[in-house]
Amino acid sequence: MTHIEELIQELCPEGIEHVALDEVVKIRNGSDYKALGAGEVPVYGSGGIMTTVDTAVHGGPSVLIPRKGSLGNLFYVDQPFWTVDTIFYTEIDLTRLMPKFFYYSMYKHRLAEKNQAGGVPSMTQSYLKKLRIPVPPLEVQREIVRVLDKFTQLEAELEAELEARRAQYNHYRHEAFSFGSEVETRPLGELAWNLDNRRKPVTRDARKPGNIPYYGASGVVDYVSGYIFDGDYLLVSEDGANLLARSTPIAFSVSGKTWVNNHAHVLQFDTYVERRFVEIYLNSIDLAPFISGSTQPKLNKANLNRIPIPAPSLEVKERVVDILDKFDALVNDISVGLPAELAARRKQYEHYRDRLLTFKELAA
């Protein structure tokens, strides 16, 4: 019997009280911060910390619950903070509920799946207030928090190591493409066939659902019943803010039957090595000199074709691709290396968390 089970057996053998959320938590709306000055007080929105200001309106500890946008995000704060109107903050009855226990227990409700409106995902106070949560004795809550905090710390350590590996990969990638003046460059237009003229955009309403991926500038945007390409290709973003932000790769390989709209260039190469070499290189360089437009950044066909690509021997390309593919798998492939370990740890943690927070309910 675990220590938690012993505590429950000693303090509440008949079961754990479950109550409606509004019996122990008050849910409050955020407000505008733009009239405030710059400072060190974090301002939270549904995506996390947006900025910092000089004035705190709320003091921790509190649990923040998104009202619009990323409903699956929950934030535990134990310092002064500010919230905008896309996220709720909570005032917790500390005599009955530990804030950190409340934070962990809210994950069981899987709010990301509970959109209360069409369009932009939204959450309402009325829905949250009716949620039932367990309220075990504070001694039990404290022990559960201690255990889950350890899991969270282990996960954070893995994430930090993964980020360090990614930084290392970026360093080696830069070194791998530092050929110097002894290696000539060739414009991309001479290395690949551009198949943009075969692209065909289809409006959402006109698409027939199926299992063929329908690609746009940043990846799959839908699945359809037909295809216009069948083979191995490199897609390169043609427009969109990501061309400058680079939060996701702007070049990505696709294989098999696909449909591509007019927001991604389609390139075909003679070999895997040549395609992959160009893919990695494009994702490693600053494309700003080739991008036009500020409101809607665009990498047009002419500018894409003139991007200079290092042109070492095929043997050198094979060596570069082989090394970077192995390194990339270690830091990005969810089936191997640290990403696989992190995914397994998260799955284990979620399972264990749900078990720890599942109690026999006290009869009314």
Side-chain angles (χ1 to χ4, degrees):
M1 181 178 291
T2 67
H3 184 46
I4 293 173
E5 291 171 331
E6 290 175 352
L7 284 173
I8 292 174
Q9 184 62 34
E10 175 188 350
L11 300 173
C12 41
E14 300 303 316
I16 300 296
E17 180 184 19
H18 288 60
V19 302
L21 187 61
D22 67 349
E23 288 191 30
V24 286
V25 173
K26 300 302 179 187
I27 302 168
R28 307 296 190 192
N29 290 316
S31 55
D32 188 16
Y33 68 92
K34 293 179 181 177
L36 304 176
E40 298 182 356
V41 177
V43 177
Y44 283 87
S46 61
I49 296 176
M50 301 169 55
T51 186
T52 55
V53 294
D54 60 0
T55 304
V57 70
H58 316 300
S62 181
V63 175
L64 313 184
I65 306 171
R67 185 178 73 86
K68 284 184 178 296
S70 304
L71 301 185
N73 289 343
L74 294 170
F75 304 98
Y76 170 76
V77 291
D78 58 1
Q79 60 182 357
F81 63 94
W82 192 287
T83 54
V84 298
D85 65 356
T86 60
I87 193 166
F88 299 116
Y89 69 94
T90 55
E91 296 174 350
I92 303 163
D93 182 352
L94 301 180
T95 66
R96 300 180 65 188
L97 193 63
M98 287 184 62
K100 201 67 171 292
F101 178 85
F102 171 46
Y103 167 73
Y104 285 130
S105 67
M106 285 300 293
Y107 276 102
K108 282 203 67 179
H109 291 288
R110 292 173 168 76
L111 296 180
E113 305 167 9
K114 305 299 193 308
N115 183 16
Q116 300 300 297
V120 177
S122 300
M123 180 56 58
T124 64
Q125 284 202 32
S126 59
Y127 179 86
L128 291 172
K129 287 177 179 179
K130 295 176 184 177
L131 293 178
R132 292 182 62 78
I133 63 169
V135 186
L138 291 175
E139 293 93 329
V140 175
Q141 295 183 38
R142 191 172 297 111
E143 182 62 14
I144 289 174
V145 167
R146 185 187 68 80
V147 172
L148 292 181
D149 275 351
K150 283 189 174 181
F151 269 94
T152 302
Q153 180 181 356
L154 289 173
E155 184 176 316
E157 290 171 357
L158 274 179
E159 288 176 337
E161 184 177 353
L162 183 56
E163 284 305 306
R165 292 282 181 89
R166 285 177 174 155
Q168 188 180 28
Y169 167 75
N170 290 336
H171 170 76
Y172 280 115
R173 184 179 63 182
H174 174 75
E175 291 297 312
F177 286 114
S178 299
F179 294 107
S181 58
E182 67 273 13
V183 172
E184 67 173 351
T185 63
R186 293 176 61 189
L188 180 54
E190 294 182 6
L191 303 175
W193 287 278
N194 186 295
L195 306 180
D196 285 1
N197 63 337
R198 289 170 51 188
R199 300 177 302 179
K200 186 185 295 184
V202 183
T203 62
R204 182 182 296 275
D205 292 341
R207 296 174 204 160
K208 295 181 179 179
N211 59 3
I212 304 297
Y214 179 90
Y215 285 93
S218 298
V220 177
V221 295
D222 204 351
Y223 288 88
V224 296
S225 62
Y227 64 93
I228 53 178
F229 296 100
D230 187 2
D232 301 318
Y233 306 95
L234 180 65
L235 304 189
V236 182
S237 303
E238 180 169 347
D239 49 34
N242 190 53
L243 281 171
L244 297 175
R246 307 297 284 273
S247 55
T248 59
I250 58 93
F252 47 97
S253 290
V254 300
S255 296
K257 294 179 173 63
T258 55
W259 195 299
V260 184
N261 67 21
N262 59 349
H263 296 291
H265 297 290
V266 183
L267 304 179
Q268 189 173 35
F269 294 80
D270 285 330
T271 66
Y272 165 80
V273 166
E274 291 170 304
R275 171 167 52 86
R276 182 65 173 141
F277 184 88
V278 171
E279 176 183 1
I280 298 172
Y281 184 72
L282 289 179
N283 285 323
S284 72
I285 63 172
D286 178 16
L287 291 173
F290 306 96
I291 294 171
S292 59
S294 54
T295 304
Q296 176 70 340
K298 185 176 181 66
L299 176 61
N300 62 39
K301 181 178 176 180
N303 284 340
L304 174 73
N305 285 340
R306 69 183 183 87
I307 295 174
I309 307 293
S313 67
L314 185 59
E315 181 182 2
V316 171
K317 288 181 180 179
E318 288 175 344
R319 185 164 65 249
V320 168
V321 167
D322 181 60
I323 292 172
L324 293 180
D325 269 354
K326 289 176 180 177
F327 211 137
D328 181 67
L330 289 174
V331 298
N332 292 314
D333 190 337
I334 197 66
S335 64
V336 298
L338 279 173
E341 185 178 352
L342 184 56
R345 181 66 57 82
R346 283 174 175 159
K347 186 174 182 180
Q348 178 189 36
Y349 166 69
E350 289 171 5
H351 171 76
Y352 194 53
R353 181 188 66 204
D354 285 355
R355 284 191 59 189
L356 279 179
L357 295 168
T358 300
F359 305 95
K360 172 187 174 183
E361 186 169 355
L362 182 66

